[in-house]
Amino acid sequence: AAAWDDGASAATRDAMVAQLRAAAMPADVVALAESCDRCFELGAEYVNPLPAWRAGGEASVLLGDAAHAMPPFLGQGTNQAIQDAACLADKLVAMVEGDLADVDAALAAYESDRKAAVARLGFNSVVLGAVETLAPEGFRDAFFRTTAALGVAKMVFLDGATPKV
């Protein structure tokens, strides 16, 4: 094994190949996966955004994926982290200017302002990911054709792209 490989890469590859075979993927796809010598499990995680992003009395708060990681199906990870940072900065400025009482109030205001938007995007990303990766092909294609024709797809994607700060 290469100096960088602790054996985890081979185990990850073997698990990936087993999943591909179980999904009845084409032989050339399985063969390509078998030929890989560096494999990483990155995962597409979802973090429930509803629990508190801060601990009372602490001058710290989570933002971005630490607070609300979502699957990549809307491509919103970086966008939402930037919006979190802008919102948090606005709240800290408001505190310095006397519009918010203290750091705890600024952090609470940031969390309150951002939570609903990221919860909605996270839910949409989970639903789209399930349709894209788990639904039968005919259903998936009909779903996306119908949502596109009705303007729903555009609304969902624009919702994620529209700043909420």
Side-chain angles (χ1 to χ4, degrees):
W4 54 263
D5 188 0
D6 63 1
S9 185
T12 300
R13 180 193 58 239
D14 294 345
M16 175 180 59
V17 167
Q19 289 175 335
L20 292 170
R21 284 191 176 124
M25 296 301 289
D28 56 338
V29 172
V30 175
L32 177 63
E34 288 174 323
S35 72
C36 294
D37 62 353
R38 291 184 79 179
C39 298
F40 303 91
E41 177 60 51
L42 299 176
E45 300 295 325
Y46 171 77
V47 173
N48 182 350
L50 299 181
W53 298 354
R54 60 194 179 87
E58 298 290 328
S60 61
V61 67
L62 299 174
L63 64 118
D65 281 354
H68 49 71
M70 57 187 77
F73 302 103
L74 287 174
Q76 287 298 307
T78 301
N79 184 5
Q80 296 309 306
I82 291 168
Q83 290 190 51
D84 284 355
C87 181
L88 180 57
D90 287 346
K91 299 309 176 191
L92 293 172
V93 167
M95 178 199 68
V96 169
E97 293 176 347
D99 296 330
L100 293 168
D102 54 24
V103 171
D104 195 53
L107 299 182
Y110 147 73
E111 183 177 355
S112 175
D113 282 3
R114 292 293 299 143
K115 198 167 270 196
V118 297
R120 184 176 61 253
L121 282 172
F123 174 77
N124 288 343
S125 186
V126 167
V127 169
L128 288 175
V131 171
E132 178 66 31
T133 62
L134 301 175
E137 184 177 338
F139 175 86
R140 180 199 66 210
D141 294 348
F143 175 87
F144 286 116
R145 273 195 305 274
T146 303
T147 58
L150 295 173
V152 174
K154 181 178 179 181
M155 180 182 69
V156 168
F157 285 103
L158 286 178
D159 179 49
T162 304
K164 308 288 188 295
V165 294

